[in-house]
Amino acid sequence: MIALANDRFLRAARGQEVDATPIWMMRQAGRVLPEYRALRKDHSFLEVAHDPALCAEVTTQPVDRLNVDAAILFSDILLPAEAMGIGMRFDPGPKLDRQVGPGDGPATMRRPRPKEDWTYLHDCIQATLKRLDGRVPLIGFCGSPFTVACYLIDGGGSKNWVGTRRWMNTDPEGFREFLFFLGECLADWLQVQIDAGVHAVQVFDSWASLLSPAGMERFSLPAVNRILNQLKIPDDFPTIYFAPGAGTSLRAQSRVGARMIGLDWRVNLRTVRSVFQDLPLQGNLDPGLLLGSEAEIEAGVRSVLQDAQGGAHVFNLGHGVIPETPVENAELVVRLVHEISREGAQ
Ligand code: CP3
């Protein structure tokens, strides 16, 4: 194992003291950087995600350019479905070759064999760790079973997710079983990443916002809980759960089994901190601010740093960086977070 030169992210996630607040940005690899766009002219999304050298290059780009304190693996929440027999393309959003529905599950879908199917994932991570050379930790990830199910059932992105919500509300038990089946596959996908050497993992529940608080407790959270409970990880290995738009179920989220919770920008970080003092929190700058002026960005950064006081905090945006964000503004946010938190002058 390569020793880490910058372990701020890991220290903060574990509730240990840090010299400055660590920051990384969701979707930092593959949206705002001109060097990413240039590379994508010659290679498809899937090619980059499957090729160790290209994957390592793109994953490392934001570390070189933005000075973030962690890298996130270049991959996608839908890639595990390839080994389940569902092909896809990205155009730029995911388009799946077939849709699944009631009756689908272990009887009709292939259960991936991690060692054979996901050798490429292992190799991408090893190549990335080598290229990072211990500068910062590497974060692995998966989608929540519920969020991945949304795409598999509706066949790609959707406004109303009609297929998913129809299945969920006509055959709730069958839907839950399907989520648990997906969860088994996703736990294997995460374990491959962990065994290959990622330093932390995040579960993205991007469509949790579709669910009522009761729906969260009935469908998404139990399936995430099963994944997190079966990971073979050291006691201090950071696991993050992030469910944007689901701020009304934070209490239930805090019991999902993740060691850190990600917050979107619609919730008040100070209020959340006052309720969950011992829970490491990640977030939650409005990504829209990065389209704004320097003064607005600085005020926003200061306010997040202030609101986070009194507990463990990893700075992040409240959701993915918006593709049209000027890259200088992303650089500015990183510099400000480090400077202001280091001075303790927020
Ligand atoms: O920077 C990173 O975080 C890199 C890795 C990453 C990608 N997708 C690469 C990608 C991560 C963590 C994801 C997660 C992901 N994928 C989520 C959860 C995060 C979130 O934003 O809520 C979701 C919902 C998806 C599904 C998905 N994949 C969508 C909706 C799209 C459309 C385009 C987009 O950028 O959102 C994709 C394609 C995709 N995944 C791209 C990238 C870099 C764009 C491909 C390209 O045109 O280069």
Side-chain angles (χ1 to χ4, degrees):
M1 245 214 326
I2 310 170
L4 285 172
N6 171 355
D7 64 351
R8 260 184 215 132
F9 163 77
L10 295 178
R11 293 184 58 83
R14 292 171 183 146
Q16 296 163 336
E17 273 193 28
V18 281
D19 61 330
T21 300
I23 168 170
W24 67 281
M25 293 182 214
M26 289 182 279
R27 312 302 304 276
Q28 67 190 15
R31 272 196 178 171
V32 283
L33 300 187
E35 51 271 35
Y36 170 73
R37 298 216 181 98
L39 184 139
R40 282 278 283 101
K41 287 214 166 81
D42 300 325
H43 306 280
S44 72
F45 174 84
L46 283 175
E47 201 183 336
V48 181
H50 282 91
D51 182 90
L54 293 173
C55 176
E57 181 174 347
V58 171
T59 302
T60 310
Q61 283 172 347
V63 178
D64 296 337
R65 168 77 83 129
L66 305 176
N67 197 28
V68 281
D69 298 297
I72 179 158
L73 181 71
F74 187 84
S75 181
D76 197 82
I77 59 166
L78 296 172
L79 288 194
E82 289 183 315
M84 302 175 76
I86 302 177
M88 67 193 70
R89 62 199 165 80
F90 288 85
D91 181 23
K95 307 269 182 312
L96 300 157
D97 289 351
R98 73 179 176 91
Q99 290 169 249
V100 303
D104 278 318
T108 61
M109 294 168 76
R110 188 173 174 280
R111 173 86 198 252
R113 294 194 199 89
K115 279 225 158 57
E116 290 115 70
D117 296 326
W118 293 335
T119 315
Y120 80 89
L121 179 64
H122 180 274
D123 294 349
C124 282
I125 289 165
Q126 295 264 299
T128 303
L129 289 170
K130 209 175 226 168
R131 186 162 180 142
L132 285 171
D133 195 27
R135 279 185 290 160
V136 292
L138 176 63
I139 302 171
F141 69 93
C142 70
S144 78
F146 176 75
T147 289
V148 174
C150 285
Y151 287 96
L152 300 189
I153 297 165
D154 278 281
S158 168
K159 182 158 177 275
N160 281 326
W161 303 97
V162 170
T164 304
R165 291 154 104 183
R166 190 182 285 132
W167 184 0
M168 181 170 84
N169 292 305
T170 48
D171 172 24
E173 273 320 300
F175 185 71
R176 259 168 69 93
E177 285 307 313
F178 181 68
L179 295 186
F180 289 140
F181 168 64
L182 271 184
E184 294 292 311
C185 304
L186 293 171
D188 286 347
W189 171 258
L190 275 190
Q191 194 66 47
V192 168
Q193 298 182 40
I194 292 161
D195 295 344
V198 299
H199 299 89
V201 292
Q202 173 156 320
V203 179
F204 285 90
D205 204 348
S206 307
W207 291 105
S209 57
L210 290 173
L211 296 167
S212 66
M216 278 293 271
E217 298 213 42
R218 186 175 187 193
F219 297 111
S220 193
L221 293 173
V224 172
N225 178 255
R226 277 207 198 177
I227 296 181
L228 293 171
N229 280 346
Q230 65 182 273
L231 296 180
K232 293 181 221 49
I233 46 175
D235 286 343
D236 62 352
F237 187 95
T239 54
I240 311 162
Y241 175 68
F242 174 60
T248 50
S249 63
L250 279 173
R251 195 169 295 279
Q253 290 182 41
S254 74
R255 294 189 290 255
V256 75
R259 295 169 182 169
M260 177 153 69
I261 294 294
L263 302 175
D264 71 47
W265 70 100
R266 302 168 192 93
V267 298
N268 185 311
L269 177 54
R270 189 187 294 261
T271 310
V272 179
R273 167 65 81 218
S274 68
V275 179
F276 303 104
Q277 266 129 19
D278 298 330
L279 188 64
L281 297 173
Q282 176 174 280
N284 73 341
L285 189 73
D286 176 358
L289 267 179
L290 278 68
L291 302 168
S293 68
E294 236 182 273
E296 289 300 314
I297 293 174
E298 176 165 348
V301 167
R302 280 190 192 276
S303 135
V304 169
L305 286 171
Q306 264 165 15
D307 288 346
Q309 282 180 359
H313 179 221
V314 169
F315 201 103
N316 208 314
L317 307 187
H319 201 162
V321 52
I322 296 168
E324 288 79 6
T325 298
V327 68
E328 312 76 59
N329 288 353
E331 290 169 28
L332 175 68
V333 168
V334 177
R335 189 154 43 78
L336 287 171
V337 168
H338 288 155
E339 279 175 14
I340 298 171
S341 64
R342 193 175 266 130
E343 289 162 9
Q346 55 272 31

